[in-house]
């Protein structure tokens, strides 16, 4: 066994206040502390050992603000000597932070480390609806705040093309087109996959919606499953209003020996990799694939000396169906289980922290069945990619990691273009009365260039054509015009 062997020795997670009772509401820091103590109990070492951790990495908390998330956790646990770091925003952060901790342990800079995160968005909104005082920490307190850059580039803000609900459909619609699928075929794939995820969530003790759903329930649009942004109804969107927390204890093999952690509890970190695509979604070379995702997956598998078919347990990030689709297509594993956790709709999407729960789920499954596992975490808008490979067995090579090198490829975007254009991808946002309210088109131009443009809400023809289920709008021609300083796109045939 290599001196660089890094192991997960304990995991803990919880769901709180599913009943939405003010008396049961607890702030994120309370939930994280409970999860951390549960991880120590799981390792069989007792919560008092948490005071000895060398490093604490906290996934950025969104629902409530603390001066320093990681230090607040360390103080709660009595780990006053721990190095503390709080992540930035993004669903990739749990795996990214685990990688950083593992590198410290592998290098001998830490013996025992804690990864943790938690949210209490559901209880926060319960207090807000009741207009009640929120009895949580005030350091500084209040909901989390983010810089404008977190939402997107200035070009994206100017267009209004910010927010996951508007951007992920761009990838889904283009992927459907490139695969030659009909609307019905693509939706059936999404619904079947999310139904399978819901069955997994039903067996997960921390799931927010532990109720299996049929593919028909997920695909059928109606009052309780309204269309959000085409083609995704509500049950194909992540659920962020949850109270959940998770913690993972990481140690060197030598420290695990000293603590008396049995081999049956140890899950070894074999490899990790991260990569990225460009920040501006409109500059992406493709919407039917992600170069950064592909490189991160390939590098993590190469570091572990495995092919995708060798991996026994998978958890592929699933804020929207296109993300696990893209990963599964690249790995050529579309015919097998893609989540050990239950997905961000049924299990719950605790803002940045879902993949901490995925690490808990995969660790538990590998303890039960043996073999190897892979967790893929996605951040921003299919922008940041972090992957880790785990196993119940040690490797002589110990833990290895790889990070992105070089700049992502981009295409030229013309922000002021008017004239003929072709639909490359699109989405249409619906209002609460189930009517198409606004459209967004990414249009191909001559010479491999591109532009982003809105569709006027008055242009009912173009909006209606974009959301028709019996025809494919991608590839259709139209015209971009400017009036009053605002550009809009209309399909040929629009009045």
């Amino acid at each position: 066994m290599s001196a660089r062997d890094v192991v997960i020795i304990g995991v803990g997670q919880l769901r709180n206040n599913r009943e939405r009772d003010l008396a049961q509401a607890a702030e994120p820091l309370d939930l994280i502390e409970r999860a951390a103590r549960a991880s120590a109990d799981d390792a069989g070492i007792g919560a008092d050992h948490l005071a000895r951790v060398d490093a604490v990495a906290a996934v950025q908390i969104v629902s409530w603000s603390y001066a320093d998330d990681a230090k607040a956790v360390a103080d709660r646990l009595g780990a006053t000597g721990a190095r503390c770091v709080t992540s930035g925003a993004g669903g990739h952060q749990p795996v990214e932070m685990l990688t950083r901790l593992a590198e410290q342990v592998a290098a001998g800079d830490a013996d025992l480390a804690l990864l943790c995160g938690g949210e209490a968005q559901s209880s926060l909104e319960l207090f807000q609806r009741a207009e009640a005082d929120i009895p949580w920490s005030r350091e500084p307190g209040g909901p989390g705040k983010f810089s404008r850059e977190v939402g997107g580039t200035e070009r994206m803000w100017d267009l209004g093309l910010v927010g996951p609900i508007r951007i992920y459909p761009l990838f889904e619609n283009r992927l459907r087109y490139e695969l030659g699928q009909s609307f019905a075929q693509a939706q059936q794939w999404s619904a079947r996959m999310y139904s399978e995820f819901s069955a997994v969530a039903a067996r997960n003790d921390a799931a927010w919606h532990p109720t299996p759903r049929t593919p028909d329930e997920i695909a059928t649009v109606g009052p309780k499953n309204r269309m959000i942004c085409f083609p995704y109804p509500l049950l194909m969107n992540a659920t962020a209003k949850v109270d959940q927390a998770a913690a993972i204890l990481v140690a060197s093999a030598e420290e695990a020996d000293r603590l008396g952690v049995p081999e049956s509890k140890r899950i070894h970190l074999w490899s990790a990799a991260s990569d990225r695509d460009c920040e501006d979604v409109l500059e992406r070379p493709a919407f039917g694939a992600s170069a950064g995702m592909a490189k991160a997956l390939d590098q993590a598998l190469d570091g572990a000396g495995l092919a995708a078919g060798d991996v026994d347990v998978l958890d592929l990030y699933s804020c929207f169906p296109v993300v696990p689709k893209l990963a599964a297509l690249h790995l050529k594993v579309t015919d097998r289980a893609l989540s050990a956790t239950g997905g961000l709709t049924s299990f719950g999407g605790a803002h940045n922290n879902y993949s901490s729960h995925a690490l808990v789920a995969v660790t538990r499954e590998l303890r039960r069945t043996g073999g190897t596992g892979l967790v893929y975490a996605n951040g921003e808008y299919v922008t940041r990619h972090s992957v880790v490979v785990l196993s119940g067995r040690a490797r002589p090579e110990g833990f290895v990691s790889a990070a992105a090198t070089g700049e992502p490829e981009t295409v030229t975007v013309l922000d002021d273009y008017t004239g003929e254009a072709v639909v490359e991808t699109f989405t249409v946002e619906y209002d609460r009365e189930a009517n198409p309210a606004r459209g967004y088109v990414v249009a191909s131009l001559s010479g491999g260039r591109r532009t982003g443009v809105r569709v006027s809400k008055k242009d009912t023809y173009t909006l209606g054509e974009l959301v028709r289920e019996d025809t494919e709008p991608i590839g259709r021609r139209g015209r971009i015009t400017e009036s009053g300083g605002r550009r809009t796109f209309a399909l040929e045939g629009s009045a």
Side-chain angles (χ1 to χ4, degrees), residues 380-400:
E380 300 175 23
Y381 306 126
V382 201
T383 309
R384 304 281 177 170
H385 314 278
S386 294
V387 185
V388 64
V389 177
L390 313 168
S391 178
R393 307 187 311 274
R395 297 176 72 222
E397 298 89 341
F399 173 75
V400 296

Side-chain angles (χ1 to χ4, degrees), residues 435-460:
N435 300 309
R438 59 189 61 84
Y440 301 89
V441 168
V442 178
S444 296
L445 310 176
S446 62
R449 299 170 300 173
R450 177 188 289 149
T451 193
V453 63
R454 295 277 291 266
V455 176
S456 171
K457 63 182 179 181
K458 297 178 181 179
D459 187 355
T460 56

Side-chain angles (χ1 to χ4, degrees), residues 3 23 33 46 64 91 108 129 166 169 213 217 262 300 303 361 391 395 398 407 416 446 448 459 494:
E33 180 183 0
W64 199 247
R129 286 194 298 272
R166 294 175 179 171
R213 294 185 180 274
E217 286 180 275
S391 178
R395 297 176 72 222
E407 291 297 315
D416 300 320
S446 62
D459 187 355
S494 178

Side-chain angles (χ1 to χ4, degrees), residues 346-358:
S346 290
F347 175 83
H351 292 305
N352 301 318
N353 200 47
Y354 170 82
S355 288
S356 292
H357 294 277

Side-chain angles (χ1 to χ4, degrees), residues 13-276:
Q13 67 172 7
L14 59 92
R15 176 192 70 203
N16 186 65
N17 200 18
R18 183 64 179 81
E19 300 76 18
R20 296 182 173 88
D21 179 355
L22 281 176
Q24 298 183 48
E27 65 178 289
L29 185 57
D30 293 336
L31 303 184
I32 294 171
E33 180 183 0
R34 286 166 53 187
R37 294 184 183 281
S39 72
D41 290 342
D42 177 65
I45 63 174
D48 57 315
H49 284 84
L50 294 172
R52 295 175 47 198
V53 297
D54 304 300
V56 174
V59 177
Q60 184 182 34
I61 299 167
V62 174
S63 51
W64 199 247
S65 297
Y66 300 91
D68 184 327
D69 298 355
K71 186 176 185 304
V73 173
D75 289 346
R76 282 286 187 98
L77 301 176
T80 55
R83 295 187 300 276
C84 297
V85 61
T86 299
S87 81
H92 65 297
Q93 292 289 359
V95 174
E96 189 71 15
M97 300 301 280
L98 176 66
T99 302
R100 302 287 85 80
L101 291 178
E103 289 170 345
Q104 293 179 46
V105 173
D109 295 328
D111 293 316
L112 184 64
L114 177 71
L115 170 67
C116 57
E119 296 290 349
Q121 188 69 46
S122 177
S123 286
L124 172 64
E125 296 190 8
L126 190 66
F127 278 114
Q128 291 172 332
R129 286 194 298 272
E131 298 183 352
D133 291 336
I134 304 174
W136 294 354
S137 304
R138 297 285 173 177
E139 299 175 359
K145 298 178 181 179
F146 297 96
S147 66
R148 187 176 173 88
E149 289 76 14
V150 170
T153 63
E154 286 303 312
R155 172 189 286 132
M156 293 163 62
W157 277 105
D158 289 345
L159 183 59
L161 198 54
V162 293
I165 63 170
R166 294 175 179 171
I167 293 179
Y168 281 91
L170 301 176
F171 293 90
E172 178 72 45
N173 286 323
R174 183 67 192 185
L175 179 64
R176 178 190 69 239
Y177 173 80
E178 293 186 3
L179 293 177
Q181 294 178 326
S182 67
F183 174 83
Q185 289 171 328
Q187 293 298 89
Q188 288 166 5
W189 182 11
S190 297
R192 184 173 63 253
M193 180 170 57
Y194 271 38
S195 175
E196 292 168 357
F197 290 178
S198 74
V200 173
R203 302 189 296 269
N204 193 318
D205 61 333
W208 195 251
H209 294 299
T211 303
R213 294 185 180 274
T214 67
D216 281 348
E217 286 180 275
I218 293 168
T220 302
V221 176
K224 294 185 177 180
N225 190 33
R226 66 184 183 90
M227 185 65 74
I228 305 298
C229 283
F230 188 87
Y232 291 145
L234 181 64
L235 293 177
M236 293 182 191
N237 286 250
T239 302
K241 297 177 182 179
V242 300
D243 291 14
Q244 294 172 319
I248 297 96
L249 266 178
V250 182
S252 66
E254 293 82 0
E255 181 68 9
D257 289 340
R258 286 191 289 270
L259 294 170
V261 179
E263 288 290 340
S264 61
K265 288 282 188 181
R266 304 184 194 189
I267 297 300
H268 303 259
L269 278 68
W270 280 15
S271 65
S274 61
D275 216 295
R276 61 192 175 95

